[in-house]
Amino acid sequence: MSLLSLVLQEIRHRKGNFLLGVLSVAIAVLCICGTVLGLRSHDRVTESLTGAMEAATQKEMAKLEDEIRKSMKGLGFNIFIYPDGQDMSEVYSQGYASKTMPESYVQTLADSNIVVVNHLLPQLTKKVKWPERERTVLLIGVRGEVPIAHRDPKKPLIEPVEPGTLVLGYELAKSLSLNPGDEVALLGRSFRIAKCHPERGSIDDISIWLNLAEAQHLLDAEGQINAILALECNCASLDRLGEIRKEVAQILPGTQVIETESKALARAEARNLASRTAKTQLAALQADRASLRAGRERLAAWLSPLVALGSMAWIAFLTFSNVRERLTEIGTLRALGVTSPKILTAFLSRAAITGLAGVALASALLVIAQFSPELIQVNLTASEWLILATGAPLLACIAAWLPALHAAATDPAQLLRHD
Amino acid sequence: MPLPLIPHSYLDMTDLAVISANNLMKRYNDRVTAVNAVSLKLEPGEFVALHGPSGCGKSTLLMLLAGLARPDTGSVTISGNDLFSLSANNRAKLRARHIGFIFQDANLLPYSSVLENVLAATLATPRANARERATQLLSDLGLGDRLTHKPRELSAGEQQRVALARALFHEPKVLLADEPTGNLDSDNAALVLASFRTHADRGGCVLMVTHDATARMAASRAIEMKSGVIA
């Protein structure tokens, strides 16, 4: 008969004590594994969340970037250059300048080495009564882009209005039932409607575009314009208006430069704001997750040892109870000549088997849990399994050490004496 | 019931005194003197009954002789070996080889079969052909058909016979029995006593603590203890 078979027989005989020990070890192992796997799961979720947020932010930023690019192309950092001495409050209130400047200014500008502006469009704008239709309209005389001399000529960004034709704003065309191809009279002269713009929801809807020269003629302003529209400014700094003013002032002293549209800027700022907000949100998410992880780490830091110690205390109690129950048996074995170290070994072996069985039970439960998508992913490494398989029996042996030592060291005469 | 035969003639007959005790004293908690200056000697072939009132120190003396308890003073010699000059482990090994011990209650392992209970003696000292010897011993004691039974399935007499087989497994020179017939009916008691007699006849020695007059009469010599001393 071997010591191991004695231990196994005793375990079979006292199943309750053994199973309570096994359960205790299994609970401790599950608890410790749970904290480790929970932290890993947390890290995976954090990675997933932040990754998704970063991807979404990047996508949104790319979209905004694209929109900005498009808006920059469409609107540029568009500026108006107004004549010297123009009251800007008047421009702001009525939308155009009452003063004029020579159309040659545009050519002067185009022939200069101006680098901040890509496209130059002269125009003459004035609010007039359309006597033939009894409407007040905004008359805008335009011509195609004036090529900037030191650069390659480019295709005009906006199509020039052919002489003898008009382009009507949406509201005018709709309310007057005018369509492309129709002939209309304007200020005593006949024009063909070349195009009707779709609705823009702005003053454009009551505007009429015509060839600049014809506009100058109709408005008695030969060779005059009241604004130069400059599109697509290439500004290195944020103070783009300052840059443009500085450069234009050197070429056309006295002229006034204002930015006509703030949409591009607003979009750019919106994009920057969105970017900052996204970064802040990402940082907040990361901080939240880090804080949550730190909390879980703190919990694991005291819970795992506590559970391990609780399990050890329980095993110590169970072993002590087992020893108490087997005092006569121990005495008998000692009387048979079984040495104290063998008695000690028997009890420690029992504890080790308890630890092993507890790990086996916990492992089985973890393996089962792996098949359930509801539960955490079990991704312990081989070395971690090995630590569990050796650590649990070792801790069980340490827990059982004192009761086992008590069993081995107690005077057998005390165990057997009854007279 | 036929008396069982113990079919072994293994005893070393050269020792005149198999076990001797000299001036043994054992006190508990410095208040109770359980054994007081006891000296005795058991020679081969002796079957000695130790009797006396309860609490007189009989069982304690038995423990001292088996080396299960250490005396405050005095010595015990088994086959020339001073028991208490040995380490605890060597004392245990000597006990395994030379001393058989039987209790009033059989003290069998409740979770082991009859055969395994006898084989429990090999936990202390391995022995060749242990299973065959244990089976033979049990058969000789009339338990050949109970080898796989658990102790709870046996009567008190049968349990005591299993304990006897376990005690005799290593062919001990000394058989120490603590009221072995106390819980037995007369037939089983007679059977156990006959086994002791046979053991003694084959050169061993038996020291049996008993209250039973019949058991005492079966012994070749009786020693009476009173208040820790041999009267």
Side-chain angles (χ1 to χ4, degrees), chain B residues 21 24 35 38 40 50 57-66 207 225 230:
Chain B
L24 288 177
V35 174
V38 169
L40 62 81
L50 180 63
K58 305 184 295 291
S59 293
T60 299
L61 179 60
L62 227 52
M63 296 290 174
L64 293 173
L65 293 174
L207 179 60
M225 271 190 88
I230 291 176

Side-chain angles (χ1 to χ4, degrees), chain A residues 1-4 6-7 9-10 13-14 326 328-329 331-342 411-414 416-419, chain B residues 28 55-60 63 68-69 89 92-93 95-96 99 101 103-104 107 109-112 116 119-124 166 178:
Chain A
M1 188 186 205
S2 68
L3 201 61
L4 181 62
L6 179 88
V7 171
Q9 283 176 18
E10 193 277 330
H13 182 67
R14 297 189 176 92
R326 297 169 67 186
T328 303
E329 179 191 328
T332 304
L333 290 172
R334 298 288 300 276
L336 288 174
V338 177
T339 60
S340 290
K342 277 194 176 178
D411 185 351
Q414 284 183 24
L416 294 165
R417 193 178 65 239
H418 55 79
D419 82 339
Chain B
Y28 291 115
C56 71
K58 305 184 295 291
S59 293
T60 299
M63 296 290 174
L68 291 168
N89 284 345
K93 287 171 186 169
R95 186 161 58 242
I99 299 173
F101 210 107
F103 308 94
Q104 179 174 5
N107 285 4
L109 304 175
Y111 42 82
S112 297
E116 284 161 342
L119 288 172
T122 61
L123 286 170
R166 184 176 63 189
D178 193 358

Side-chain angles (χ1 to χ4, degrees), chain A residues 298-340:
Chain A
R298 280 196 299 276
L299 181 70
W302 66 261
L303 184 65
S304 298
L306 189 71
V307 168
L309 284 173
S311 175
M312 287 175 73
W314 179 241
I315 286 175
F317 169 76
L318 289 173
T319 308
F320 186 72
S321 163
N322 187 253
V323 168
R324 293 283 302 169
E325 204 175 347
R326 297 169 67 186
L327 288 178
T328 303
E329 179 191 328
I330 296 164
T332 304
L333 290 172
R334 298 288 300 276
L336 288 174
V338 177
T339 60
S340 290

Side-chain angles (χ1 to χ4, degrees), chain B residues 11 20 27-28 34 57 66 74-75 80 103 133 140 175 179 197 199:
Chain B
L11 299 171
S20 64
R27 290 169 63 85
Y28 291 115
S75 62
F103 308 94
R133 168 153 178 77
D140 291 345
L175 198 55
E179 302 199 39
R197 180 73 266 162
H199 182 73

Side-chain angles (χ1 to χ4, degrees), chain A residues 128-143:
Chain A
V128 298
K129 188 86 176 173
W130 187 358
E132 289 86 351
R133 298 286 180 170
E134 296 186 343
R135 292 291 180 92
T136 299
V137 298
L138 193 66
L139 201 65
I140 305 171
V142 294
R143 60 176 274 199

